[in-house]
Amino acid sequence: MTVCGVDVGSLRTPSAVAWLHDDELSFGAYVPSASRPLPEPPSGVAPACFALDAPQGLPVAGEQRRAADRLANTPTRVLPSRREDVQAMRAFGALVDAGVTIFWEALERGLASLDRHSAAPAIDETYPRFVILTLWPDLRIPSKRKEARRYVAEVWSRIQALGYGADAPPATHDEVDAALCALAAEAWQRGAAVEVGLAPIVDAAGRVLREGFIVAPA
């Protein structure tokens, strides 16, 4: 089984990609867009699941925060109710815009499904810090901004201790986060994940998902 983890940046900047096959990781990058919401798999590979570090949708009407963001303690504290207002957000606007675009376009184009039993690859939302706290609650997580090298070294060593390897080790914290996303994708596809939040709602008029789950390995 092959799965993919994506540490999303924006629709203008590269996103780190981690492909996971038989406990081996390989890393790459792509710039997501409405016409290319998901990374192109390696030749001959049919991924079973994509897991992205980006919000899949917006809150239901009357709410400023999704249940999943609150339960996973993501930094997106306030979200607009309309997709048209996302780009005007002061903080995380580019990330939220990328997330809602990727999920909506991947689902609308039939490139992915919210159901892991579908013929199309599954697509999930995850959050690397939630994955870390779920797998290693004892780890004092180094700052990615102040201690990037330490973050890479400590988290990658934990991933290796679970039995995962790579053709080349991750060079950046973005690649480490993509690897954590891939672990979440694998766990969800195997039915061995925890999830927090509420079932996603398709808002066809607004062309956006609402609420949704954030997943991590159990």
Side-chain angles (χ1 to χ4, degrees), residues 27-133:
F27 299 98
Y30 86 120
V31 178
S33 65
S35 61
R36 188 192 178 196
L38 297 172
E40 189 71 23
S43 178
V45 171
C49 183
F50 293 87
L52 287 72
D53 175 21
Q56 64 187 274
L58 301 177
V60 293
E63 297 290 337
Q64 290 188 317
R65 197 178 192 196
R66 298 180 307 154
D69 288 315
R70 183 176 67 255
L71 294 168
N73 195 26
T74 74
T76 47
R77 306 291 177 182
V78 177
L79 289 169
S81 61
R82 301 190 313 158
R83 183 171 175 178
E84 294 83 353
D85 298 329
V86 166
Q87 293 185 359
M89 291 175 61
R90 287 187 177 182
F92 303 110
L95 174 64
V96 176
D97 184 36
V100 298
T101 298
I102 291 169
F103 274 87
W104 183 262
E105 295 295 336
L107 293 170
E108 187 173 64
R109 294 165 183 266
L111 302 176
S113 169
L114 295 172
D115 179 4
R116 69 170 175 262
H117 301 297
S118 168
I123 186 169
D124 288 308
E125 178 184 348
T126 187
Y127 175 44
R129 190 176 183 90
F130 180 54
V131 173
I132 291 173
L133 292 174

Side-chain angles (χ1 to χ4, degrees), residues 148-186:
R149 289 184 180 179
R150 185 171 161 235
Y151 179 88
V152 171
E154 292 205 14
V155 178
W156 178 240
S157 68
R158 297 276 182 138
I159 294 173
Q160 288 179 299
L162 294 177
Y164 298 96
D167 51 4
T172 66
H173 62 74
D174 296 322
E175 290 184 343
V176 168
D177 284 352
L180 293 169
C181 293
L183 299 191
E186 180 187 55

